[in-house]
Each structure stands twice: as structure tokens, then as C-alpha cells.
Amino acid sequence: METTLRGVGVSHGVAIGEVRHMGTAVLEPPARQIPAEEAEREQGRARQAVEAVAADLMARGNLAGGEAQAVLEAQALMAQDPELIADVDRRIAVGSTAERAIYDAFAAYRDLLAGAGEYLAGRVADLDDVRNRIVARLLGVPMPGVPDSDEPYVLVARDLAPADTALLDPTLVLGFVTEEGGPTSHSAILARALGVPAVVALPGAVELAEGTVIAVDGSTGEIFVNPGEEKKAQLEASAAERKAALASATGPGATSDGHKVPLLANIGGPADVAAALAAGAEGVGLFRTEFLFLDDSKSAPSEEKQVETYRQVLEAFPEGRVVVRVLDAGADKPLDFLTPADEPNPALGVRGLRTLLEHPEVLRTQLSALAKAAEGLPVYLEVMAPMVADRTDAKAFADACRAAGLRAKFGAMVEIPSAALRARSVLQEVEFLSLGTNDLAQYTFAADRQVGAVSRWQDPWQPALLDLVAIAAEAARAEGKSCGVCGEAASDPMLACVLTGLGVTSLSMGAASLPYVRATLAKYTLAQCERAAAAARAADSADEARAAARAVLSGE
């Protein structure tokens, strides 16, 4: 019998195929005592396993590139955490085997993360994956992972570790469905980068029986279990229609009546540039620079290394706009040389611009490197600070940019509600705003972006979030300045129309989403986008806002 389930659609497209579950294994090793003379050997085994797993994660990252590389390198650093290794050594010294010591040390660290605030609690799944990989290596058992199959299938799992998601083969994995996760989880971001249809936060996903035929609509979040031939034909026709629309939409982003909306790409480094260019990106709306600093959590990269990397990206967009976000360290991106290890709630502590202002030499070096990288190039360089809270923050950043001799526009990311509410004040110090809707939603609703149980508050269609976007966009318009969106909200084609109607002046997203947004914007006038935006803001929930906007745009 055909039934319909609903999760959160996080990656566009339709996939129809049989369910295959992520492989599982019992990875809790037995607890047994070892004699004292074996402790040194067991400590050596543990260290070898840790190094092997870290090397494997780094290798997977190098193969995947882009977003995936930064995520997997962060996991490798997690595996090699000195405090964890020291705890493992202590446990072995008092009689634990290597595998049991790893298991128990990670369990203790897991409890600390789970209780350390929303941001770090969202990294528990990543930590569990690292632990499982090390323990599996020590026990000599296969790692749980993507199933072997000669036929294409839809992958179903409680959650997907970044190491698994990063190297999915799109020719075999038609799409995936998870019970956990949210619209801005690592798996969701990587799914969009791969162009694989995906639905997350689906209650009871793991209860779908192996071999069951399901249809996954990554745009609506709907899962059709045992779809009939009529439903399959309807979904396939809809997918074909979308594909045709994508092929016909080319050129700069604009509404049907010619209102220009530059469509930019979010990138994590030079490896993402080719996909952005292929998708017709008009520039870069968010160049995340954290990947450079994750190579070595003990010290910042040299100015020379930064110049070389930044220039590779700037050269790829001659006479285009490239918006660089300076280092956003802290919370889920801790760096030993910058971020305190004992913050009770890192998400509400010293992160982003606050970290850089406490370490001005790191900010000064990065700004100087950006200035040198842009020398002699016709690119329109813009540099923005993360986690700006007020005018004082904005002034401190602008002053640092001027002191570094940076000839670029200085901007502020709006990720904290105070910055949206006082946007006109912030704009007295900077020349543009860029809305990071992922963190803005997180702080507006006190809802961690990695926790599936609170994913409804991470939905960018929430009217309260749209209100904050409208406030910031109106402030920018009043000041004659620009206000873009570089959060994942921009990758939703219909929401892109609503954001345009709210007054947002540019949209930046993962490269895979650019054709969908370009094609959808081209179907509607600016007036239609404005009416859809007003209807969405008048709603009382995300679902109602989505339905209201759809009704306006479809002429119902």
C-alpha cells in the first residue's frame, strides 16, 4: 500500500529505488584486564590505530575536496586530540585493553560534548564515527558503512557520518534518507555538494524494510513508500520538467521582469571553484577560510601560504565579486592556538570576530594576506567578519581592515539577532551585510543546527527569521548599501524568490543549487516575489509560510 512520510528536504531532485540500510556492527569491546607488562604494547596499538584512522580521514578528504575536505580534516584532528590520547594511555596503564580504553575515553568525551551546549552536542555523531573507526581497526572487524551493491539504491540510515557521505558514488546511491540530522548538518551540506537528493529528520526512517521501494523528493521532503505507477510517473515527469527548466535558464540571475539578483557561490577553497564556474556563478558570496587553519590546529598558516591560496580563488573570477569571510574559529571549529578549551558554552562564548579581536595578530596577518593576494587583479574583493553583534564590533573590524591597508569593501555577517535588529547602526561602520541564515536561525530559536529533534526551528521558512531578514534588508536599502544571503536558505528556489521579495540584493549558495534558483527566479516578476514574501511573513509557522508563498507564486 502506498503511504507518504515527511521529513526535511535538504537536496533537490527525485530518487526512486529500493531501500538499502547502512551497515552496522557491534563495536563495544569486552572489558578485560591486561597484565602491567602489556600496557606499553597496548598503548602502542592504540596510537597506531588512531594515526591510521586520522590518515584515512585525511585521505578521504583529499579525494573528496571542497566542503568534505574541511569536515573530514576536522574529524582527523578530533581523533588525534592530545587530551583524548592521554586519557587512553591512563586507562591502559591501569589495565584496560587498547580497544576498551579507546571506547571508554571517547564515551567520557562524548558526555562532555553532549553537555557542553547545543553547538558541541551536534558534533557527537562525528565523534562516534571516529571512535567506531578506531575500535573496528583494533578489533579487526569491518567498519559499518555504505552497503555493497551492484544495483542503484536509496541509502537509509539513522545518520550519516561525513566520511561516508563525502565519498558516496552518485551512480549507485540514488538518494539518501536519515532519521537524524537537520537542513544544515554536515550530511545535508555534502549531499547538496554531490547533487544527491536527500531527506533528513524523517521519524522512523530506520524502520523502512530492506528492499522496500521508495520515492524520495529532496525538494519537498516527502517520502512515498511503495509508490504506484501513477505516482512514479508523476514524480518522473516533475523531475523531467525541472531538468528542462534548468537547461533553459542561463546567464545572470534575474526575475522575469529584469530585476537583477546576482547568484554567487559558497566555497570552502580552491577545490570548489571549478564547480562554481561550471554552474555559472557570478562570483563568490562566501569564501570560507577555515580550511587553511584546520591543517594545523597548533598554529596559524603563514602569510605566504594564505596569499597563495587566496590568489587562486581571486584569479578565477576576473572582474567578478569575491566575498571572503575571515576566520570563524570557536564553537564547532576549535583551534588549539586560539580557542579556550574550558568554555562552558562555546556557542555563546568567544567565537568568530570575538576570537580574532582577542588575537589581533591572526586577523592582521589574514587581512594583509588578502590585500597582497588581490594586488594587480581586477576582482571586486569584499571582506566580512563573522558573528558581528553590534556597531562596536563592526567598527573594530573596519578599523583592522584599514590598518592592514586592505583596499576592499568591509562587511558584517548578520548571524546574531542583535545585528539584524540594529542593522542601520552596524551599517554606519561597514559597507554591506551578509545574512548567515543557518546561525541566525540557531540563535533566534535556540535550536542547534545539527540536532534533528529541533529541526523545525532550523527551517528557514520560519516567519520570525523572515522578519529579521526583512529588517536587515530594509536597513541596507535605507542606507543605500547591499544585503545578501549566504546561508543555506538561498539554495531553496522558492525561498530565493521570497528573499528577493524581502529586499535581499544577492544570493549565495552551494554550486549544485545555482541552476535551480536561476530557473525559478526567472519565472516570476519582482512584484510576485514581494507578494509571496508578504504572504510568508503573515503566516504563523514555517509550513504555513511555505504554503502561502507557493499559493501566491502559482497564482492560486
Side-chain angles (χ1 to χ4, degrees):
M1 184 178 71
E2 181 179 317
T3 56
T4 303
L5 307 174
R6 182 180 287 277
V8 178
V10 296
S11 185
H12 304 297
V14 171
I16 302 173
E18 292 187 0
V19 167
R20 293 286 181 273
H21 285 274
M22 178 68 76
T24 58
V26 177
L27 289 177
E28 180 173 359
R32 66 180 181 85
Q33 288 291 109
I34 61 168
E37 60 268 21
E38 292 184 15
E40 188 174 344
R41 181 178 67 85
E42 289 296 288
Q43 288 169 342
R45 286 182 65 230
R47 289 175 182 275
Q48 286 175 1
V50 166
E51 292 304 319
V53 167
D56 178 61
L57 290 169
M58 293 290 283
R60 285 169 177 259
N62 289 334
L63 281 173
E67 296 269 11
Q69 186 167 7
V71 172
L72 293 176
E73 286 177 352
Q75 271 198 295
L77 290 173
M78 190 181 282
Q80 297 168 303
D81 183 276
E83 290 187 19
L84 263 174
I85 300 301
D87 190 18
V88 170
D89 282 345
R90 284 192 295 271
R91 292 173 187 273
I92 293 174
V94 295
S96 283
T97 61
E99 46 266 40
R100 188 71 208 189
I102 290 285
Y103 187 88
D104 290 339
F106 272 75
Y109 194 32
R110 186 187 200 280
D111 291 342
L112 284 175
L113 284 187
E118 300 282 355
Y119 239 119
L120 292 182
R123 293 295 172 262
V124 165
D126 290 1
L127 186 70
D128 287 348
D129 179 58
V130 172
R131 177 204 62 202
N132 287 346
R133 291 176 185 278
I134 298 171
V135 172
R137 179 171 287 273
L138 286 164
L139 291 175
V141 300
M143 256 306 299
V146 178
D148 290 328
S149 176
D150 295 328
E151 298 296 325
Y153 59 90
V154 176
L155 181 62
V156 175
R158 186 169 300 281
D159 202 357
L160 284 171
D164 293 319
T165 315
L167 297 180
L168 289 179
D169 181 353
T171 63
L172 282 177
V173 181
L174 302 171
F176 68 74
V177 179
T178 67
E179 192 160 311
E180 297 295 328
T184 58
S185 66
H186 283 153
S187 291
I189 291 170
L190 295 177
R192 286 189 285 273
L194 286 166
V196 176
V199 171
V200 301
L202 179 73
V206 296
E207 296 169 17
L208 290 166
E210 186 88 2
T212 302
V213 175
I214 63 172
V216 179
D217 190 328
S219 299
T220 65
E222 291 173 305
I223 303 292
F224 303 96
V225 183
N226 295 315
E229 293 306 314
E230 184 178 345
K231 174 59 70 176
K232 288 182 185 178
Q234 178 186 338
L235 288 169
E236 287 168 352
S238 176
E241 184 180 330
R242 288 179 196 165
K243 189 174 181 180
L246 294 180
S248 64
T250 57
T255 58
S256 64
D257 56 341
H259 174 72
K260 293 182 178 179
V261 187
L263 300 180
L264 312 170
N266 294 344
I267 68 171
D272 294 338
V273 167
L277 292 172
E282 297 169 57
V284 174
L286 173 61
F287 178 7
R288 304 180 182 93
T289 57
E290 288 74 39
F291 77 102
L292 269 170
F293 293 79
L294 289 170
D295 282 347
D296 179 5
S297 68
K298 306 295 183 187
S299 62
S302 68
E303 182 175 308
E304 292 73 20
K305 181 177 180 180
Q306 292 189 56
V307 170
E308 178 186 356
T309 303
Y310 302 149
R311 195 168 179 90
Q312 287 180 53
V313 174
L314 298 179
E315 286 176 338
F317 294 93
E319 299 186 9
R321 179 186 179 197
V322 175
V323 184
V324 179
R325 181 180 70 191
V326 294
L327 175 64
D328 183 12
D332 63 332
K333 296 183 283 284
L335 294 169
D336 292 345
F337 69 97
L338 280 184
T339 49
D342 57 352
E343 278 194 302
N345 192 340
L348 300 180
V350 181
R351 66 164 294 197
L353 180 61
R354 297 170 187 174
T355 301
L356 293 174
L357 294 179
E358 285 201 356
H359 299 271
E361 72 287 351
V362 175
L363 177 58
R364 185 165 52 248
T365 299
Q366 186 170 25
L367 294 174
S368 175
L370 285 165
K372 291 178 180 178
E375 283 178 3
L377 296 179
V379 68
Y380 295 97
L381 175 63
E382 301 184 10
V383 182
M384 61 185 180
M387 304 300 293
V388 169
D390 56 16
R391 181 174 179 174
T392 300
D393 277 354
K395 183 178 187 304
F397 178 65
D399 287 346
C401 289
R402 282 187 283 267
L406 190 62
R407 294 187 177 183
K409 284 188 176 181
F410 317 142
M413 288 201 70
V414 177
E415 302 162 285
I416 302 173
S418 62
L421 295 170
R422 300 287 295 172
R424 287 198 74 170
S425 174
V426 170
L427 283 164
Q428 302 312 301
E429 305 294 341
V430 294
E431 298 171 82
F432 69 93
L433 300 177
S434 183
L435 288 144
T437 51
N438 307 343
D439 272 320
L440 186 58
Q442 174 168 253
Y443 290 116
T444 298
F445 298 104
D448 189 294
R449 54 195 282 188
Q450 296 292 327
V451 178
V454 295
S455 63
R456 83 172 180 88
W457 290 285
Q458 263 293 328
D459 191 326
W461 282 92
Q462 286 284 359
L465 186 65
L466 299 181
D467 286 344
L468 290 174
V469 173
I471 289 169
E474 171 56 27
R477 187 197 64 77
E479 293 294 327
K481 296 179 178 179
S482 63
C483 177
V485 167
C486 65
E488 292 299 316
S491 65
D492 178 333
M494 189 165 65
L495 185 52
C497 295
V498 167
L499 294 172
T500 298
L502 292 174
V504 166
T505 55
S506 66
L507 299 166
S508 188
M509 65 210 75
S513 298
L514 284 164
Y516 291 90
V517 172
R518 183 183 294 110
T520 305
L521 266 180
K523 292 166 58 177
Y524 304 107
T525 64
L526 177 60
Q528 285 176 298
C529 293
E530 290 171 340
R531 289 196 296 273
R537 288 185 69 191
D540 291 320
S541 71
D543 286 342
E544 289 178 13
R546 191 181 281 105
R550 183 180 290 114
V552 169
L553 294 176
S554 62
E556 295 176 6

